[in-house]
Amino acid sequence: MPVKVLTATSVARNGVGAFILQCKRLDFHYCDWAGSSKGMNQFLTHTLPAFTAVSPTTEIHISPRPRAHPVIRAHYIAPTPSSPSTFSPQSLSSSANTVTKAICVRNLSKEQILQKAELLRDGNAAKNRRVKGGRVVRSENESVRGVWSPMHGVGSPLEGMGRKG
């Protein structure tokens, strides 16, 4: 009996084989004069060289914005609903396929600004959503009653839906 070899190959996906960060560029805007940029100026002089060494795939742009609060702006690769066969490397560099997120970092210390920069770098292009429901209680023990379903038991809501006649 001969052995059959599979000829199908897998489609490349993010996280399989290699991980590609969604964040392509971080823009740091600051003001030399304003007091709200004190933490940003310290971050740029002391912490930014180590931050850029850790993430070499992310472009870093630094630009002064006189008389404005400091802002970190991240540019992400936008998720496209098109098929994988239409993907091209040129689509990553075009501005039509990017999503931006910005965080104002006024009056924050350099450690807090580092946390915000890591949050933007490690994030994705999805919108930030509020988690509703508060605290979720999880238990390691199963429920004594089991999982409830309207299809189980006597007196289920589906019992009386038939035609009477």
Side-chain angles (χ1 to χ4, degrees), residues 23-27 72-76 99-103 117 120-121:
C23 181
K24 287 295 158 192
R25 186 173 87 196
L26 284 173
D27 296 337
I72 303 174
R73 183 170 284 122
H75 300 269
Y76 299 98
V99 174
T100 60
K101 284 185 183 179
I103 294 180
L120 287 172
R121 180 196 63 195

Side-chain angles (χ1 to χ4, degrees), residues 50-142:
F51 180 74
T52 56
V54 172
S55 56
T57 59
T58 306
E59 292 180 39
I60 305 291
H61 289 248
I62 303 169
S63 63
R65 283 179 47 188
R67 297 175 302 278
H69 291 299
V71 174
I72 303 174
R73 183 170 284 122
H75 300 269
Y76 299 98
I77 301 171
T80 56
S82 61
S83 65
S85 62
T86 60
F87 174 77
S88 67
Q90 290 81 16
S91 65
L92 295 178
S93 62
S94 68
S95 62
N97 289 337
T98 59
V99 174
T100 60
K101 284 185 183 179
I103 294 180
C104 181
V105 290
R106 68 176 178 232
N107 298 326
L108 295 181
S109 66
K110 64 180 181 178
E111 292 84 13
Q112 292 172 323
I113 293 174
L114 176 63
Q115 289 177 351
K116 298 294 182 183
E118 288 174 346
L119 177 78
L120 287 172
R121 180 196 63 195
D122 298 337
N124 58 12
K127 285 186 176 182
N128 293 335
R129 296 201 172 128
R130 182 175 172 223
V131 178
K132 293 184 180 180
R135 196 179 94 179
V136 178
V137 179
R138 303 222 183 251
S139 174
E140 294 184 17
N141 300 326
E142 278 191 41

